[in-house]
Amino acid sequence: MGGAIAFDNMDFIDLKTQQSLIRSDIEKRIAAVLNHGQYVLGPEVAELEARLAAFTGAKHAIGVSSGTDSLLIALMALGIGPGDEVITVPYTWISSAEVIALAGATPVFVDIDPLSWNLDPALLEDALTEKTKAIMPVGIYGQTADMTAINQIAARHGNIPVIEDAAQSFGATHHGEQSCHLSTIGSTSFFPSKPLGGYGDGGALFTDDDELAEKMRWIRVHGQERKHHHPVLGMNGRLDTIQAAIILSKLDLFPDEVGRRQEIGSRYTDGIRNLPGIQTPQIAEGNTSVYAQYTILCDDREKIQSHLREKEIPSVPYYEVPLHLQPVFTNLGHQQGDFPITEKVASQCLSLPMSPYLNSADQARVISSLSC
Ligand SMILES: *Cc1c(COP(=O)(O)O)cnc(C)c1O
């Protein structure tokens, strides 16, 4: 390293520090599962569901196999299929639109707001048709969309169901209410790098609606109402007991981690705000963010990425190719220029190292590498 001061390699997302805090608790919880042997829908799944419901304030929480399956189960429970349209954003992880197509419906994209980078409610009404059967806003990078405005529009147009894709925003709040408890159905992911991540795949669904909750529970287990009775089409969408045990352990740390995420997010913004050529994330009024990613917009992303690379600081352009330009969605007939805000953000975005345990020395090193 030619005389430079040697640093430990910085993780893009540090999962090791957290593990060192809960490793023995996790081992105990896994041992308990090995002892009782109920690997599928065992008691830890029910315990986790009760804890998640209490945390969010939702009446029902349902553990499922992933944050993608959870969105699909939500669409299936709402009876969405061929001929239907579901609105989402082109600036998100592929799952949000993928599940709409998997359900046989058509994804209809609405561009994002230039400050929050979430669905722009001002553009929503123009995208509604009589085929619109659900609206799926995403809480990108850890803050929710303007769910209040979106819910109002949905209510005005015959109570269109709103599914919140909260895979990145679990733990965030919108006017004091928890993400996942802001609309008809909330959906989150426990993929390891998410704010509440497990050690594998998992997810959860949230609703206050008894009937929808029952249907989603059926769909999670092959549409089964009771043994050998299948009133609706379902899938294998269950959360593993061992995964639930791990997430229970992580949930104990989670409120503290949310606070740390907010502190680290603010420290990034304070340090970066005045640097030329960089836009920091704006947290909308009434929102808090869990900073699933800390993402900036760079006038010259190439230059900043190469500075970071020189210092061995990891960074990732989440999401550099918008969904309307992905080959898999060619059939939707979109082209460059259709969603200008999405395309601008996609061409400038860069996510920086972020975790609740990012220490201030490492963070200062990231910030100083941006300013050269
Ligand atoms: C991660 C993610 C998903 C999918 O979650 P998985 O658990 O990986 O299936 C869906 N939507 C968004 C916005 C995500 O970030």
Side-chain angles (χ1 to χ4, degrees):
M1 286 208 45
I5 302 165
F7 290 94
D8 286 342
N9 274 352
M10 201 185 302
D11 289 318
F12 183 62
I13 295 178
D14 169 15
L15 296 174
K16 287 177 262 174
T17 306
Q18 181 199 56
Q19 188 179 103
S20 71
L21 299 174
I22 50 174
R23 175 83 186 227
S24 67
D25 186 61
I26 285 179
E27 286 177 354
K28 248 183 274 161
R29 287 177 188 271
I30 291 175
V33 176
L34 298 181
N35 288 334
H36 68 55
Q38 297 177 58
Y39 305 120
V40 174
L41 297 184
E44 284 81 0
V45 175
E47 188 185 345
L48 178 65
E49 290 175 342
R51 293 267 308 271
L52 292 171
F55 182 87
T56 56
K59 188 168 176 196
H60 304 279
I62 302 162
V64 295
S65 40
S66 76
T68 305
D69 292 341
S70 62
L71 293 170
L72 183 58
I73 292 170
L75 293 171
M76 290 167 77
L78 291 167
I80 286 164
D84 297 336
E85 294 177 354
V86 177
I87 290 176
T88 191
V89 284
Y91 192 68
T92 175
W93 172 238
I94 186 92
S95 300
S96 319
E98 176 183 50
V99 291
I100 297 168
L102 279 175
T106 304
V108 173
F109 295 123
V110 166
D111 209 354
I112 55 171
D113 172 270
L115 295 180
S116 73
W117 310 328
N118 275 321
L119 190 147
D120 187 346
L123 304 174
L124 178 54
E125 226 146 10
D126 278 349
L128 298 175
T129 73
E130 67 273 25
K131 292 183 186 162
T132 308
K133 290 293 149 56
I135 303 167
M136 191 194 289
V138 178
I140 203 79
Y141 305 143
Q143 74 164 323
T144 74
D146 186 348
M147 298 298 287
T148 305
I150 292 165
N151 285 334
Q152 278 167 1
I153 293 165
R156 263 209 308 280
H157 292 267
N159 285 320
I160 303 168
V162 177
I163 302 167
E164 182 196 7
D165 182 351
Q168 300 181 19
S169 62
F170 187 82
T173 60
H174 176 68
H175 296 292
E177 281 282 328
Q178 286 288 330
S179 177
C180 287
H181 187 220
L182 297 171
S183 63
T184 321
I185 297 174
S187 164
T188 198
S189 163
F190 302 130
F191 187 78
S193 61
K194 308 285 172 165
L196 180 60
Y199 289 144
D201 282 308
L205 285 154
F206 299 82
T207 187
D208 285 343
D209 184 312
D210 296 343
E211 244 176 79
L212 272 177
E214 183 176 50
K215 245 199 203 151
M216 294 193 292
R217 286 185 184 279
W218 292 351
I219 294 169
R220 174 176 70 171
V221 190
H222 306 287
Q224 181 172 268
E225 180 190 0
R226 58 198 154 86
K227 216 169 179 53
H228 303 140
H229 291 262
H230 303 264
V232 296
L233 195 63
M235 60 195 275
N236 179 349
R238 296 174 295 232
L239 177 68
D240 290 340
T241 308
I242 282 185
Q243 205 54 249
I246 291 162
I247 298 160
L248 273 169
S249 184
K250 293 196 173 205
L251 197 52
D252 290 336
L253 287 181
F254 190 66
D256 175 61
E257 290 183 347
V258 169
R260 288 165 173 268
R261 285 178 174 280
Q262 284 161 1
E263 267 170 46
I264 292 166
S266 308
R267 225 187 294 145
Y268 259 139
T269 298
D270 290 344
I272 298 171
R273 194 185 347 244
N274 295 320
L275 300 180
I278 298 182
Q279 182 183 323
T280 51
Q282 315 265 319
I283 306 308
E285 208 196 314
N287 273 4
T288 61
S289 177
V290 288
Y291 295 99
Q293 306 287 346
Y294 188 92
T295 303
I296 55 174
L297 303 192
C298 314
D299 289 351
D300 188 346
R301 182 167 63 193
E302 279 300 307
K303 192 181 86 184
I304 288 178
Q305 269 190 291
S306 78
H307 284 160
L308 291 171
R309 255 194 307 267
E310 271 166 35
K311 305 262 173 68
E312 295 184 31
I313 295 170
S315 67
V316 185
Y318 285 128
Y319 296 94
E320 61 184 333
V321 183
L323 299 194
H324 67 285
L325 300 176
Q326 292 287 353
V328 65
F329 291 129
T330 310
N331 64 316
L332 298 176
H334 289 298
Q335 53 193 358
Q336 192 88 32
D338 282 358
F339 302 101
I341 308 298
T342 288
E343 290 167 22
K344 173 181 179 279
V345 173
S347 69
Q348 299 189 335
C349 62
L350 191 64
S351 300
L352 304 176
M354 179 70 207
S355 92
Y357 305 100
L358 179 64
N359 66 57
S360 45
D362 279 347
Q363 191 176 16
R365 199 154 68 84
V366 179
I367 294 168
S368 69
S369 310
L370 295 170
S371 60
C372 46

